[in-house]
Structure formats: structure tokens, C-alpha cells
Amino acid sequence: RKEVEQDPGPFNVPEGATVAFNCTYSNSASQSFFWYRQDCRKEPKLLMSVYSSGNEDGRFTAQLNRASQYISLLIRDSKLSDSATYLCVVNLRSNDYKLSFGAGTTVTVRA
Amino acid sequence: DTAVSQTPKYLVTQMGNDKSIKCEQNLGHDTMYWYKQDSKKFLKIMFSYNNKELIINETVPNRFSPKSPDKAHLNLHINSLELGDSAVYFCASSHRLAGAYEQYFGPGTRLTVT
């Protein structure tokens, strides 16, 4: 089983739609969770951290489900500019400096 | 103004050559990283330095040698380049422990080995 696993997509959605996708992680003791965004041929950039209680940043909502070991990202009212690859990132072991990256979920928003 | 910068942006070289990639950050972070992103888009950690000390050294061929002259710089030297080394190499930096803090990435160095 991969340490961090994502549905690669692509998710093709019309502007204004809601899109959501999950990411599973292997270690139940994982402490830190993030969603990064990577545009084509660019560097990854932090989109948002994921907190235990769930958190929202504008049109983006992140949730953590520890029991089932997954995090989710929901994008409401999709914009063309939301088209990107969304990387799930987990600090799998609290005494480890490493972040583990998923392979990414590709979202394409069409006009 | 660039927070994390890398040079060169593109590198095309032949098998067997030795090359270096340089990274600098002006964010005042004390931890820096090298990642490799291959054609399948997986981003894998290679090395990490905290205050010039090597703290992460993944299973990477010893042809790859990182060097951190100070907290703001982390270089990567690659000896005897192979076709499989072709990838995008990202430098990143963060404050203290990666587990809790955001990592900032450089624009990447696209290495092509022919």
C-alpha cells in the first residue's frame, strides 16, 4: 500500500460546479496534513493545512477523517483558475522531518 | 524578491557528465530540502539540511552529493549522470520541522540527460 494515495483523476468539471476528492494515508499516527497545488510545469505551493476539526478557506474546504485515515478537499463554485494538480501531503511520522506527497489529483475546470 | 531560487532552470547534458544545481532562499528558514519529481509526477524527498546539518538522506545513489555552505544555500552535485536522472529537481525550505510548517518550493530545475 502506498503511504499517501490519491485518485489521479482527471476531474473535468464545468465552471461553478463543486468538486471533491480524497486522499488516504497509511500511518494512523500521522500528525500533519496539507493540500498543495501544482500548476503545469510549476512548483508546488501550499493551498491549505488540514486541521482536525476541518477548515475552510474561501471556496476551499478541507476535512480530516482519522478513523478512516483520509483527508478530503472540496472546491465550491469552481473557477477556470482552479485547474491544477492538487497534492495531498502528510507528515507520516511525528518524529520524522519528512513530508510524503501523493501523486496528485488533476482537476480541469471548463468554461 | 524571489523567496527560493534555483539555478539553472534548465539543464541538458550527456550521460557521464558531472553537474551542479544551486539553491538559495531569502526567507530566513533553517531547513532546506532537495526533491526529485519524475515523469510520473511523484515528488520524492532526497535530502534535507537543518542549520547546515544533514538530517534526511533517503536512498539516493551516492553519485548525488548535497552541500550546504550556510543556512540560506543548498547545492546538489551529481556525478556520472545517467538517463534515469532526468527529472525536475525542486529545492524547498521551511522553518524548523517540516512536519508542522509550510515548505516553500523553488521553481525547479528541469534536468535532461541524453
Side-chain angles (χ1 to χ4, degrees):
Chain A
R1 183 185 174 184
K2 287 181 187 157
E3 292 183 322
V4 179
E5 204 148 3
Q6 295 183 248
D7 180 346
F11 288 77
N12 293 310
V13 299
E15 264 188 299
T18 296
V19 60
F21 40 89
N22 294 339
C23 161
T24 57
Y25 57 93
S26 59
N27 187 352
S28 60
S30 300
Q31 294 296 319
S32 303
F33 308 88
F34 308 89
W35 284 105
Y36 275 70
R37 171 193 169 129
Q38 186 172 25
D39 294 308
C40 190
R41 299 177 79 85
K42 297 280 190 182
E43 72 272 22
K45 290 184 180 178
L46 179 69
L47 179 67
M48 58 198 300
S49 301
V50 186
Y51 303 121
S52 296
S53 53
N55 47 301
E56 200 172 295
D57 184 359
R59 298 180 293 107
F60 297 84
T61 301
Q63 297 278 357
L64 167 63
N65 185 318
R66 283 195 183 275
S68 301
Q69 291 177 220
Y70 73 86
I71 64 172
S72 63
L73 182 67
L74 182 144
I75 309 172
R76 281 189 306 279
D77 188 22
S78 300
K79 312 286 183 200
L80 294 175
S81 57
D82 294 334
S83 297
T85 297
Y86 292 85
L87 303 174
C88 172
V89 183
V90 181
N91 176 222
L92 288 170
R93 285 163 279 276
S94 58
N95 61 348
D96 196 335
Y97 297 98
K98 289 192 310 185
L99 293 181
S100 293
F101 286 73
T105 297
T106 299
V107 172
T108 303
V109 181
R110 61 183 189 275
Chain B
D1 278 326
T2 307
V4 183
S5 59
Q6 292 179 232
T7 54
K9 206 164 178 182
Y10 299 95
L11 188 51
V12 181
T13 188
Q14 289 185 326
M15 279 175 58
N17 284 349
D18 303 338
K19 289 293 177 187
S20 291
I21 309 172
K22 296 189 175 189
C23 178
E24 177 180 358
Q25 55 94 4
N26 61 6
L27 296 166
H29 290 162
D30 55 11
T31 308
M32 295 184 74
Y33 312 81
W34 278 114
Y35 286 88
K36 178 180 179 180
Q37 188 170 41
D38 60 25
S39 56
K40 292 191 176 135
K41 304 301 181 191
F42 269 108
L43 205 60
K44 284 195 168 177
I45 184 79
M46 300 173 70
F47 301 103
S48 178
Y49 274 77
N50 176 257
N51 282 319
K52 301 194 296 175
E53 181 188 340
L54 183 66
I55 55 170
I56 296 174
N57 186 352
E58 288 296 282
T59 309
V60 175
N62 57 15
R63 298 182 294 105
F64 290 79
S65 49
K67 217 165 251 184
S68 181
D70 55 59
K71 277 192 335 181
H73 295 86
L74 180 61
N75 304 323
L76 183 66
H77 187 75
I78 316 170
N79 287 325
S80 304
L81 278 153
E82 299 177 358
L83 292 176
D85 297 333
S86 296
V88 182
Y89 292 84
F90 286 103
C91 175
S93 72
S94 72
H95 179 62
R96 294 194 66 193
L97 305 179
Y101 296 92
E102 174 183 358
Q103 290 190 15
Y104 291 80
F105 285 80
T109 295
R110 192 169 295 273
L111 172 65
T112 304
V113 183
T114 61

